[in-house]
Every structure is written in C-alpha cells, then in structure tokens.
Amino acid sequence: MEIGRKIIHLHSVDSTNNYTAKLLHDGEIDHGTVILAAEQFAGRGQRSSEWLVKPGENLTFSVFLDSVNVAVDQQFILTQIVSLSLVDLLTKFNLKPEIKWPNDIFVKGKKIAGVLIENQLRSKSIQNSIIGIGLNVNEVDFKGFIATSVKNETGEFKSVKDVLYSFLYSFNKTWNMFINNLDSLDEEYHNLLYLRDINAKYQDNNGEFNGVLKGVQPSGRLLIEKEGRIKDYDFKEIKFILKNVL
Ligand code: BTN
C-alpha cells in the first residue's frame, strides 16, 4: 500500500491531478506514484474554484492510489486519512492543526492546506483515487485570503521537497494505523474537527444562521445543530462564514 516509491518532478503543469489522470488514462502509472509540480498554471480547488499559489514556494502534488479496497459509501475514509496525515505532518512542526470540513486544514483559524480527491468508481467500490494536495510552505503574503503557511506560523523556511518526504512518511504511517481501525480513525478525525461544539456562523439555502457543528456522518455529510435540530449538509449546501482572525 506504500506511497512515494516513485516521485515525478515537473517544472510546470496545468494541474498535477490532471497530469495524473492522463498518465492513468495512458496506462502509465503505478500505485503510489507521486506527481510534484513546482508550478501549476491551472491548479484546481473544491467547488470548481482555482488553486493559485506562488511557483516554487509551496507544495502542490498528487498521489495515485490504485485498487483502493474501499466501498463507495465509505469513500469519506480517504478524506479522513489524508486529513490526519496532514495533521501528523504539521504537528511535527509544532503547529496545532485542525481539520476544517470537508477538505481543508486550518492553523489558528486560517487555511494552510487544501485537498482535492478524485475517485474513479467501479460498481460498489473505489477503483482508484487521485489525491491532490496543496500545502502552503514558504509563501507569506496571502493578499487578504484567510490563509497561512508553515513559514508564517513557525518563522522558518522549509525545503518543499523535505516537507513532501515527511508527508509521505506521515501518510504511510496514518494509513497503516487506521485502515483496519475505522472507529479510531473516525474518533481521531472528530477530535481534530475545526469548530466542533462551538457556536459559529453558517449560510445554507435559507440564509445566514448561528449553529453548532456536531460532527460528520460516515457518508461525509456535515451535521450542524440549527435552532435546536440537527441538520445534515452536503458541501455544496453549506458555507462557513469565517472571521478573519489576525
Ligand atoms: C481546495 O482547497 O479547494 C483544494 C485545493 C487542492 C489543490 C491541489 S494542488 C495539487 C492538486 N492539483 C490540483 O489541480 N489541485 C490539487
């Protein structure tokens, strides 16, 4: 199951997820291969957004997982494992990361990493998975975005490649620790969930409201207590109204 035995370094590419998908289409990629790019000129984020970062300063890469033995209705466990791997990595830098549902890692209320997972399904299980990760390493100016980086938080410059190698180690460790222990995975994920049990502002189809995030269902739907009742949301149905904490 190990990832990272093969790493392909690219200078510039549209998106490492797209590049991985092309290699897969051409039958030219093995399980665990990592595609790392110094620059992405059409990096993609969640909700069809863009992922724009300064070339060379941050980590932008994809990991290809073949024959993932995970049922379609359990695909959220991949998100959980990737999130916990990023938390493990950032904790090594003495940071206190939290998992912002569905696909971000936050430090002190600011985004430090984003994940874009694209699965190919075969009947009831995941056939393979492209895990795209953007991690802010050395960038310091986020021009008004509620974002931060390892450098911003620790004051230290880090080699992007060394951070990648540490991530691969964290991922392999996290996978082995939790893949046969899904209850612990879910518990650990919930322990690290940003804004859990805290009153905060959200927006759903009916407008803005104050609610309390209670957890995430195994399907990946978010549970929020709204006016005394628990409601569940898909990621397109709910928006966090975040405060810019300086
Ligand atoms: C998000 O926060 O919306 C997810 C961002 C994911 C960005 C990464 S960078 C490497 C990989 N290639 C992409 O085009 N996107 C992901």
Side-chain angles (χ1 to χ4, degrees):
M1 184 54 215
E2 198 174 304
I3 63 160
R5 285 208 199 118
K6 183 170 179 190
I7 301 178
I8 300 175
H9 298 246
L10 303 171
H11 176 65
S12 178
V13 70
D14 55 347
S15 144
T16 55
N17 271 32
N18 294 356
Y19 190 89
T20 310
K22 264 180 231 134
L23 290 183
L24 174 62
H25 177 261
D26 298 343
E28 283 173 9
I29 192 162
D30 296 323
H31 169 82
T33 301
V34 174
I35 315 290
L36 169 69
E39 180 193 25
Q40 288 189 127
F41 48 85
R44 292 185 289 114
Q46 290 290 324
R47 309 181 196 230
S48 345
S49 63
E50 290 175 304
W51 181 259
L52 293 171
V53 290
K54 284 208 185 137
E57 293 195 353
N58 298 315
L59 198 44
T60 46
F61 67 103
S62 302
V63 180
F64 175 65
L65 301 184
D66 200 2
S67 311
V68 188
N69 196 9
V70 169
V72 170
D73 55 10
Q74 283 193 318
Q75 54 185 301
F76 191 64
I77 68 172
L78 286 184
T79 303
Q80 291 183 313
I81 289 180
V82 175
S83 303
L84 290 184
S85 307
L86 284 165
V87 166
D88 185 75
L89 166 74
L90 294 168
T91 305
K92 286 190 197 137
F93 302 146
N94 291 322
L95 301 178
K96 288 201 167 47
E98 294 177 284
I99 300 167
K100 149 115 184 344
W101 180 92
N103 280 298
D104 296 336
I105 305 296
F106 271 34
V107 169
K108 292 195 194 141
K110 297 177 196 166
K111 179 161 170 166
I112 196 163
V115 180
L116 177 65
I117 300 182
E118 296 178 298
N119 294 325
Q120 273 196 3
L121 310 177
R122 180 178 42 196
S123 71
K124 288 196 166 66
S125 69
I126 299 176
Q127 184 171 13
N128 50 53
S129 181
I130 297 171
I131 297 174
I133 297 176
L135 171 65
N136 300 333
V137 181
N138 293 316
E139 189 166 349
V140 284
D141 182 7
F142 293 97
K143 301 185 183 67
F145 285 100
I146 307 177
T148 191
S149 64
V150 176
K151 171 99 190 284
N152 254 350
E153 297 302 324
T154 63
E156 283 169 29
F157 171 90
K158 294 245 176 331
S159 138
V160 164
K161 272 188 201 156
D162 286 351
V163 177
L164 173 66
Y165 299 141
S166 299
F167 171 79
L168 299 176
Y169 179 85
S170 290
F171 181 93
N172 287 324
K173 183 177 104 180
T174 308
W175 183 280
N176 291 333
M177 193 184 291
F178 290 115
I179 196 65
N180 293 317
N181 203 346
L182 298 181
D183 289 344
S184 304
L185 174 67
D186 199 49
E187 192 182 321
E188 194 60 13
Y189 176 88
H190 277 87
N191 287 340
L192 290 158
L193 205 51
Y194 179 61
L195 291 178
R196 186 159 83 117
D197 289 332
I198 292 173
N199 195 291
K201 209 170 234 182
Y202 298 92
Q203 185 182 350
D204 67 9
N205 291 338
N206 298 313
E208 282 190 16
F209 65 97
N210 276 303
V212 181
L213 193 158
K214 300 309 289 180
V216 181
Q217 288 180 332
S219 63
R221 289 176 77 85
L222 183 68
L223 298 170
I224 295 192
E225 191 179 306
K226 179 185 181 186
E227 291 152 9
R229 294 169 72 191
I230 309 277
K231 298 194 71 173
D232 62 293
Y233 295 95
D234 180 54
F235 78 97
K236 291 190 205 85
E237 298 165 345
I238 185 91
K239 211 174 139 194
F240 289 59
I241 310 290
L242 298 172
K243 277 187 273 179
N244 199 345
V245 228
L246 293 172

